[in-house]
Amino acid sequence: MATADATPPGRSSSVPEPALRPAPLRGPGAELSTWARLFTDGDALVLRCRGFFGQRREVRYPLSGQHRISRALLISPDADTARSYPGAGEIRLLDPAGRPVARLLPDRWMVSGRQEVPIDQAVERSGAGALLRAAGIPVVRASRADLAAPRESRRRELSLVLEPGPQLPLWYQALRVTAGCLWLLAISVLVIVDRSMPGWVLFAAVAAFVAPVARLLVRGVSTLRNRSAAELDPSPLVVISPRPAPAASEQDGATPTVRFVSRAVLRVFPGELSVVDQYGADTRRPLAGPSAPQALVRLIGPDGHPVAVELRYATGPNETIAAWADWFGGPGGATQWQKFRTATGLHCEDRKASGKAVKVWELARGAYSARPAPDAKHARRESRFPSSAAKGSSSALMVIGSYFSLQFATTVADDAPGIAWTSALLGVAGLLLQFAPWCWHHLRSRLYFERPVTRKDPAS
């Protein structure tokens, strides 16, 4: 049986290897890259995750005793599901009686980002296979009898998933959904009943005002929690900032911007490599243990100049973490490269790159590396505060809610002027709380962050 406990603040984020690290998230989810881990301490499988209210907590799944995890069932998707969703599949952890204890979805623990790869490859790429071997949990492929066994309820199935936590705290999602439903109820009553109803007008205005206040609150809380999580890390051995090379032409891909140069960073911690992109997403990779890369590779183009930096693994494909022109091609780049390769402690080697990899921007910079955005519009979209459960329509609903607060205030101005003024003020305040962050984001992006960095040739 799993046990959970809140983790005292100030505890280090380091864990024994092998450990699973979550797919990187930006904004409120950046904290999870620092804190969330799935590892074993010998006595239990330990999940570090984010709780309902955003608190850090640990959940322990014993490896001994009556309710221990005795084996793991590898469940591959059927042919139709695999064609539609290549990343489908899971590892089901069972107790001695065959009852499910937990479900492990490897694609949620892919440090290079969630990828649609077959379950067998996902198990190894995520490090789940190495973790289960270290925990002494045998993995067997599910048989027809296993698949025909009665399944748990949908709610129970979801509660069993081992995940680092949501990008946005669940209390925020729940509050937004509840406020939205109450607002729809109030608006429905006001539209159907054709008479003055001051109480319902005030109720609708308050419900509409809750959403922008909650988003402003979660922004502030997320900022504080991300800073707190950063304090859990030990001091980095080295911190590398981008050193863009002089551009011979603008056909070499995206031009580095102020956002990229000021926010992207490579950091080497004891036993861990951190790659932070321009949006704050922190990709953590182990530098020790069975899931660590075997070598640091510098790709050399046909003209003899470096192109990119890769991590080479014993199993699985190589991962590009940085384009040479963005990180080491400018003034001081050679010194930065020497510091970086020394701090990682990895064997370093050079490998020739094909002409295609040099010419194609996506291949040269790597699909999951820290790189400049292809255009300013893309950068503004990716750097926005993440949407809630309603996705893009969430912001539209908030604007509509505040507008209706103003409109319905006029219908009760004669019967209840106090309520009318209160509803109107809530509507205006709600609109301001929504448009002020939006305007600040776009103005700061257009006037500062997305300005190209002038890459001057030191020889000129």
Side-chain angles (χ1 to χ4, degrees), residues 74 76 88 117-125 141:
L74 179 61
S76 301
V117 297
I119 182 64
D120 296 284
Q121 296 181 29
V123 169
E124 295 305 322
R125 289 193 194 180
R141 191 172 294 275

